[in-house]
Amino acid sequence: MNILVTGGAGFIGSHTVVALAEAGFTPIILDDFSNSEAGVIDGLESILGFRPVTYTENCHNPETLRRIFRDEKIQGIIHFAAFKAVGESMQKPLEYYDNNVGALIVLLKTMQECHIPHLIFSSSCTVYGEPDALPVTEKTPVKPAFSVYGNTKQIGEEILHDTVSAGIPLKIIALRYFNPIGAHPSAAIGELPRGVPNNLVPFITQTAAGLRTSLTVFGDDYPTPDGTCIRDYIHVLDLAEAHVAALSHLMKTTASSYYDIFNIGTGQGVSVMELIKSFERVTGVSLNYSIGPRRSGDVTAVYAGVEKSEKVLGWKATRSMDQALVDAWRWQVKG
Ligand code: UFG
């Protein structure tokens, strides 16, 4: 069964291409390589033993989508293609709304026209903002977004909800990702941040590798046991496999219009200091870090309630954070 993976050369997208192929699907990549490297396809080839069909185009043009849907006999879509830098989204709101919301509308209209029913959408735990209670479940109220990026995910979810509520025959799942880390254990694919990494783990691995002099821990005066922020770090391959579970669930669903939302995390909250200590322990590398001021927009703590995804999708994370850190480090060292 042929599945179109938009943004399939990105961090989560490329690992999902592997998970799809391992589950017997045929992944077809659509990526404009605006935030990914051509070498990712070589890495995928070395893991899969075949070169995935790849279209170097974006999702804004319905004619492109129609052609690929037809030529590749696409039966489902996993839509990763989006901009994801929180800070940048505040400087470039129109680019973010155009790419993350505008292209989603084009995709949905073209799916409806071409009778392609199955869609998995990348959402984010950012929709919960600073939650009042932990863990957050899918019933936890969504809070006003802190950033344009976060708002594009909330608007995306609303568009999907409204589309399905109108009875349009599409079956859709939005996955709210927590913090993906790690890499494929082969080190053939991994996270490829451009410039200075925003995210904690690539910053740690680059610092440990000597590419950066020091890591700044953004604040140790939060109301948490060690004063640093708490997140739910999930191995990117576990996250990738959640997409396969969600797609399989959609394919079994008999309703012609369907929409649901799932948290995709481990259920474990881990502080920045705990993660740093784990990294040092599993790699044997001591990390140069110092405590700095808080980063604006960071929430104190968020981690996932995972009961719903276990019960409905039959999916749960199986890999440890230690394993994810070892894999991230192996990927960094391989350079
Ligand atoms: N952190 C540091 N130093 C760094 C980088 C990060 O201390 O150099 C801390 C942050 O303050 C935070 C934690 O590490 O407490 C995790 O930060 P990340 O940037 O890795 O992840 P975030 O949880 O901030 O961001 C993630 C996604 C975003 C999404 C956000 C929603 O990367 O796309 O969750 O909560 F919007």
Side-chain angles (χ1 to χ4, degrees):
M1 194 173 286
N2 294 357
I3 306 299
L4 186 67
V5 186
T6 78
F11 176 42
I12 306 173
S14 58
H15 289 82
T16 301
V17 165
V18 173
L20 282 168
E22 278 173 359
F25 293 99
T26 303
I28 311 287
I29 295 172
L30 170 62
D31 201 302
D32 65 3
F33 292 89
S34 61
N35 192 23
S36 52
E37 306 293 335
V40 172
I41 309 301
D42 301 330
L44 285 170
E45 184 175 7
S46 79
I47 294 169
L48 299 175
F50 66 91
R51 198 165 179 82
V53 172
T54 302
Y55 289 86
T56 306
E57 298 187 72
N58 67 37
C59 305
H60 292 261
N61 184 345
E63 194 42 55
T64 304
L65 294 175
R66 275 185 211 111
R67 173 170 46 80
I68 298 173
F69 291 174
R70 188 186 57 232
D71 291 355
E72 300 296 343
K73 301 188 172 51
I74 296 298
Q75 287 174 281
I77 297 168
I78 305 185
H79 182 49
F80 293 105
F83 293 148
K84 61 176 184 181
V86 173
E88 182 188 64
S89 76
M90 307 305 283
Q91 314 300 324
K92 299 182 172 175
L94 296 180
E95 283 86 340
Y96 271 68
Y97 285 118
D98 186 36
N99 199 37
N100 294 10
V101 179
L104 175 65
I105 295 171
V106 173
L107 185 67
L108 288 167
K109 286 169 106 172
T110 317
M111 286 178 70
Q112 186 190 2
E113 177 196 320
C114 299
H115 307 290
I116 296 175
H118 308 110
L119 175 69
I120 312 290
F121 174 72
S122 304
S123 189
S124 166
C125 66
T126 195
V127 301
Y128 297 116
E130 182 79 69
D132 298 325
L134 289 167
V136 289
T137 75
E138 292 81 354
K139 292 200 169 97
T140 298
V142 162
K143 292 268 179 81
F146 278 10
S147 69
V148 170
Y149 163 77
N151 208 28
T152 67
K153 293 299 171 189
Q154 293 195 4
I155 294 171
E157 288 191 1
E158 285 171 8
I159 290 171
L160 300 177
H161 172 270
D162 294 347
T163 301
V164 168
S165 296
I168 291 172
L170 292 173
K171 301 190 218 181
I172 304 173
I173 284 179
L175 299 180
R176 289 179 176 161
Y177 307 153
F178 285 69
N179 289 54
I181 60 168
H184 192 271
S186 66
I189 55 172
E191 194 165 4
L192 274 174
R194 288 201 169 151
V196 182
N198 288 313
N199 296 117
L200 180 61
V201 169
F203 206 107
I204 287 177
T205 59
Q206 290 193 9
T207 306
L211 301 174
R212 313 211 165 265
T213 48
S214 175
L215 166 79
T216 304
V217 174
F218 296 140
D220 69 348
D221 58 350
Y222 284 94
T224 63
D226 66 17
T228 64
C229 292
I230 290 175
R231 296 287 183 275
D232 184 337
Y233 296 94
I234 176 171
H235 196 300
V236 64
L237 278 178
D238 278 325
L239 182 60
E241 287 165 6
H243 294 78
V244 177
L247 189 64
S248 303
H249 178 69
L250 282 185
M251 289 180 170
K252 281 188 289 200
T253 300
T254 48
S256 60
S257 297
Y258 174 96
Y259 176 59
D260 210 345
I261 294 171
F262 296 92
N263 282 345
I264 304 297
T266 66
Q268 303 295 319
V270 171
S271 76
V272 174
M273 279 315 300
E274 285 171 332
L275 188 142
I276 290 172
K277 293 296 164 203
S278 297
F279 178 83
E280 293 187 319
R281 178 172 46 76
V282 297
T283 62
V285 180
S286 97
L287 200 64
N288 190 21
Y289 67 87
S290 60
I291 309 295
R294 292 183 178 194
R295 179 172 71 177
S296 120
D298 275 344
V299 301
T300 302
V302 62
Y303 53 91
V306 292
E307 252 175 51
K308 184 178 172 187
S309 45
E310 271 190 57
K311 198 166 138 208
V312 180
L313 302 179
W315 168 91
K316 69 174 184 184
T318 59
R319 295 164 180 87
S320 67
M321 188 176 80
D322 284 0
Q323 197 175 339
L325 293 172
V326 167
D327 290 337
W329 181 233
R330 192 185 294 114
W331 164 248
Q332 178 69 55
V333 171
K334 185 196 160 222

